[in-house]
Amino acid sequence: MKNIVFTLTAALLGFTATAVVAHDYKLGSLEIAHPYARATPPNAPVSGGYMIIRNTGDEADRLIGGEAGFAKKVEIHEMSMENDVMKMRELPGGLEIPAGGEVELKPGGFHVMFIGLDGQLKDGEARPVTLIFEKAGSIDVDFHVQTIQRMKQNMPKDGHGNMEHGEMDHSKMKHGG
């Protein structure tokens, strides 16, 4: 009897852990995988949000914005290098998610920008955000907050063990087009 109870308890704990770790969402033909946000120091005005969005449908859609109770604005941004200067700008038309394709929002590239934070984003928290798509509509997702160190552990590496993408420090960038 003890073995059955132990087995059932282990199975339930394993299921619970899996449910917490795997935070993927589906909205029509869109799949949103592992949304996470960067932890912030106290009084930071902004943070970035990242995820992979897959489109299994036959027509493109666009991530056009969002809403979050913890931020005054949610915008879709792109980071790029111009003349050895890293620049970040809002994508006013949103970010296209191609039919049958995927887009990775990641540090150093496309990302969700949380502007006007009402408080610190702390490692281990989950923050609710509504993502808004042009065609599919809106969906509520939880962005899991991670420190820079945890984000680095989860970032893809090149063949030499180096991170494929640079760190993102919004305070040292030029904002705008």
Side-chain angles (χ1 to χ4, degrees), residues 40-67:
T40 63
N43 302 316
V46 298
S47 182
Y50 317 99
M51 70 199 107
I52 296 173
I53 305 172
R54 292 181 189 90
N55 184 349
T56 61
D58 295 335
E59 64 178 313
D61 204 339
R62 298 184 85 72
L63 175 61
I64 56 174
E67 298 172 352

Side-chain angles (χ1 to χ4, degrees), residues 3-4 40 84 118 138 162-163:
N3 286 341
I4 293 173
T40 63
D84 294 327
D118 69 1
S138 63
N162 301 312
M163 286 190 314

Side-chain angles (χ1 to χ4, degrees), residues 8-153:
L8 288 174
T9 302
L12 285 173
L13 288 174
F15 175 73
T16 304
T18 302
V20 170
V21 172
H23 53 285
D24 296 343
Y25 302 86
K26 188 154 177 54
L27 175 65
S29 62
L30 299 177
E31 298 171 356
I32 297 136
H34 187 63
Y36 64 101
R38 180 176 171 179
T40 63
N43 302 316
V46 298
S47 182
Y50 317 99
M51 70 199 107
I52 296 173
I53 305 172
R54 292 181 189 90
N55 184 349
T56 61
D58 295 335
E59 64 178 313
D61 204 339
R62 298 184 85 72
L63 175 61
I64 56 174
E67 298 172 352
F70 61 90
K72 290 181 182 165
K73 293 191 328 186
V74 176
E75 298 177 348
I76 311 307
H77 282 220
E78 175 184 31
M79 191 172 297
S80 62
M81 290 294 289
E82 289 181 28
N83 300 323
D84 294 327
V85 176
M86 188 172 281
K87 291 188 173 188
M88 181 174 51
R89 68 180 180 99
E90 180 182 10
L91 298 174
L95 177 61
E96 182 173 307
I97 315 301
E102 74 177 33
V103 176
E104 182 178 5
L105 287 78
K106 60 190 173 190
F110 298 116
H111 58 281
V112 175
M113 192 76 194
F114 302 115
I115 301 170
L117 299 178
D118 69 1
Q120 182 177 9
L121 300 186
K122 296 179 183 176
D123 184 46
E125 294 179 330
R127 295 293 188 114
V129 176
T130 301
L131 297 175
I132 303 169
F133 293 89
E134 185 176 64
K135 295 177 183 166
S138 63
I139 184 171
D140 296 330
V141 302
D142 286 331
F143 277 72
H144 291 250
V145 180
Q146 298 180 359
T147 62
I148 294 172
Q149 293 77 17
R150 282 200 333 158
M151 288 171 57
K152 284 181 183 179
Q153 291 170 355

